[in-house]
Amino acid sequence: EVVAPDMDPDEVRPKLGDVRLEELRCACETLGVDVNYVLGYRDSGMADTPANQHPECFAQADLYEATGRLVELMRQTRPHVITCYNEYGGYGHPDHIQVNRVTVAAFHAAGDPAQYPGIGPAPWQPQKLYYTSYPRSYIVMRYEVMRAMGDDTPLDRPDFDPNRVGTPDEDITIRVDVRAYMQRKVAALRCHRTQVSPDWWYFRIPPEVLQDKFNEEMFLRIVSHVPAGLPETDLFAGLR
């Protein structure tokens, strides 16, 4: 969906893939990410849409072949820590669910010489695997902030149950303080002009509220091959 008001949808839609790659480049540059790798699949759209049935979309990709692409990257770049979406894809996007499947499979396969022999350099076993996560209290706080700004939120629905959203707070295994990077994060999000509206709630929050209320990134630790106690405040705990 093209959401930036200065964009012509008829002009952008035929080249949306290239536009999205440029948005990714912009976000990486803003965050100071030197290298990004693209596996080459099409966006899958949401379930039951035509995009979701396209043979080149990520949701239709062969799991073994797609995992092999990521195994090759892991063996080339030799990461110690891997993060990805949870098994529900965060909010159920088919691409996000496939990211989870492929990433978890590659995490376990990359260090096994019996799997994908001949792909990439020598086997390499990442040491820690995390799922990105949003605790329930964070989601409810987000809705409260949105309501204070005059937005309609699920809090206003009689069937809303706060115990059925997000991850239970007590299950969160790591909270990373990102206060120093909040404005850079906002700037990187603004790069994704065909995905995030300029009047999105996150962009309308006063900077001081953003710094005070939304200053952590949260994860669930799924695997650790190094001794590291819980809870953590550092994705690289036990590795430094």
Side-chain angles (χ1 to χ4, degrees):
E1 182 182 356
V2 180
V3 293
D6 62 327
M7 286 181 158
D8 180 351
D10 293 332
E11 180 182 329
V12 171
R13 282 200 180 97
K15 56 179 182 180
L16 187 56
D18 291 334
V19 171
R20 291 271 171 90
L21 285 173
E22 177 56 27
E23 291 174 348
L24 176 63
R25 185 207 61 77
C26 168
C28 287
E29 182 178 317
T30 301
L31 294 171
V33 176
D34 295 326
V35 183
N36 72 78
Y37 300 89
V38 179
L39 298 185
Y41 297 102
R42 284 174 56 100
D43 187 296
S44 304
M46 294 303 288
D48 301 321
T49 64
N52 197 244
Q53 301 304 314
H54 196 289
E56 294 177 17
C57 80
F58 190 40
Q60 297 293 332
D62 177 80
L63 187 60
Y64 182 82
E65 190 270 341
T67 300
R69 295 192 194 188
L70 192 53
V71 165
E72 183 173 18
L73 277 177
M74 288 184 182
R75 290 175 178 176
Q76 286 175 357
T77 59
R78 298 162 69 89
H80 290 80
V81 176
I82 301 291
T83 69
C84 68
Y85 298 105
N86 64 18
E87 60 268 43
Y88 308 110
Y91 61 90
H93 194 294
D95 278 336
H96 296 185
I97 293 171
Q98 188 78 319
V99 163
N100 171 269
R101 292 175 183 149
V102 169
T103 304
V104 172
F107 177 89
H108 294 293
D112 184 352
Q115 298 200 52
Y116 298 96
I119 286 190
W124 172 262
Q125 179 58 60
Q127 296 297 292
K128 302 177 84 176
L129 173 66
Y130 293 92
Y131 290 170
T132 54
S133 184
Y134 295 101
R136 286 174 180 163
S137 62
Y138 179 102
I139 293 175
V140 171
M141 179 171 60
R142 165 190 164 182
Y143 291 153
E144 289 172 345
V145 168
M146 291 171 65
R147 186 162 62 181
M149 294 190 297
D151 294 352
D152 292 329
T153 77
L155 293 177
D156 305 309
R157 296 203 304 257
D159 61 341
F160 176 71
D161 182 357
N163 294 315
R164 300 187 66 180
V165 299
T167 303
D169 285 63
E170 62 271 18
D171 291 349
I172 301 294
T173 50
I174 173 169
R175 294 172 180 265
V176 181
D177 187 330
V178 294
R179 282 181 179 84
Y181 308 99
M182 292 301 297
Q183 294 313 308
R184 191 183 296 189
K185 176 181 176 179
V186 172
L189 284 166
R190 288 188 183 278
C191 287
H192 297 286
R193 301 174 72 238
T194 62
Q195 299 187 74
V196 186
S197 172
D199 63 354
W200 185 42
W201 71 274
Y202 200 83
F203 297 154
R204 290 184 284 118
I205 293 179
E208 61 275 12
V209 176
L210 206 58
Q211 287 280 121
D212 183 50
K213 301 288 189 183
F214 301 95
N215 52 36
E216 293 179 318
E217 297 289 337
M218 278 83 53
F219 301 85
L220 292 180
R221 194 177 81 188
I222 305 303
V223 179
S224 180
H225 293 307
V226 294
L230 293 175
E232 297 176 317
T233 57
D234 179 1
L235 289 165
F236 294 91
L239 290 166
R240 296 193 184 279

